[in-house]
């Protein structure tokens, strides 16, 4: 049967790009800072754009980066990501970047002001949680966090272990019920 071209579904648009109908697209995670979630109690998270050079983007696309020592600092009304290790691009020439340079974060003015005010409080800091690509643009997930004490870390680990054990017990009981 012949179907006119106008009534055929188009190949472009939101469905072709993998969007779920919501604003934004799929996230391709490049690096995560699991140590931050262990060492800090996360209060609030933000998504920030990153100002990068060409070789940094190419190196990120290869997936070789580390956020374990990274932190965010507000300086003269601008947010900067420090100590994030993005290694030099192996095919880069003299235009290559330095691996641990500070990188500017793109946030709204209200977000920067709020982060600056909260980070001035005792025990609060801003840490990077993840680097990822969203719709082809490099983004950083940063969080306002409060440092955990050693006993808080042990308590969190204990809770996770208890939750895992209870989930295993529930799954085993369900398997036994289906088997009968």
């Amino acid at each position: 049967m012949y179907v006119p071209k106008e009534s055929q579904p188009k190949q472009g648009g939101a469905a072709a790009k993998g969007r779920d109908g919501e604003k934004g697209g799929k996230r391709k995670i490049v690096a995560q800072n699991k140590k931050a979630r262990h060492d800090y109690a996360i209060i609030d998270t933000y998504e920030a754009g990153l100002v990068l050079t060409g070789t940094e983007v190419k190196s990120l696309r290869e997936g070789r980066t580390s956020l374990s020592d990274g932190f965010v600092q507000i300086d003269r009304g601008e947010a900067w990501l420090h100590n994030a290790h993005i290694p030099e691009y192996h095919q880069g020439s003299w235009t290559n970047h330095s691996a641990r340079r500070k990188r500017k974060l793109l946030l709204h003015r209200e977000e920067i002001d709020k982060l600056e005010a909260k980070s001035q409080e005792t025990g609060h800091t801003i840490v990077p949680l993840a680097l990822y690509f969203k719709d082809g643009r490099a983004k950083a997930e940063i969080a306002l966090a409060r440092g955990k004490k050693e006993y808080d870390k042990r308590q969190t680990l204990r809770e996770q272990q208890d939750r895992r054990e209870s989930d295993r017990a529930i799954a085993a009981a369900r398997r036994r019920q289906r088997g009968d």
Side-chain angles (χ1 to χ4, degrees), residues 36-120:
R37 293 199 186 270
H38 176 73
D39 291 342
Y40 299 98
I42 306 300
I43 298 169
D44 201 6
T45 61
Y46 299 89
E47 181 181 68
L50 277 167
V51 177
L52 300 172
T53 64
T55 54
E56 286 175 322
V57 174
K58 289 180 180 186
S59 186
L60 271 180
R61 289 199 188 277
E62 289 180 349
R64 307 176 308 132
T65 187
S66 171
L67 293 173
S68 60
D69 297 332
F71 64 95
V72 177
Q73 198 170 36
I74 309 292
D75 185 28
R76 289 187 232 126
E78 294 180 339
W80 294 90
L81 176 64
H82 294 268
N83 279 354
H85 184 265
I86 300 175
E88 290 185 352
Y89 184 57
H90 66 278
Q91 291 180 344
S93 61
W94 57 272
T95 59
N96 230 335
H97 63 278
S98 60
R100 288 206 183 265
R101 74 176 188 92
K102 68 179 189 176
R103 294 162 179 94
K104 187 174 181 178
L105 294 173
L106 304 174
L107 290 162
H108 291 283
R109 170 62 44 208
E110 306 89 48
E111 293 175 335
I112 292 174
D113 293 342
K114 184 177 177 182
L115 282 171
E116 187 172 23
K118 289 286 191 177
S119 66
Q120 299 297 326

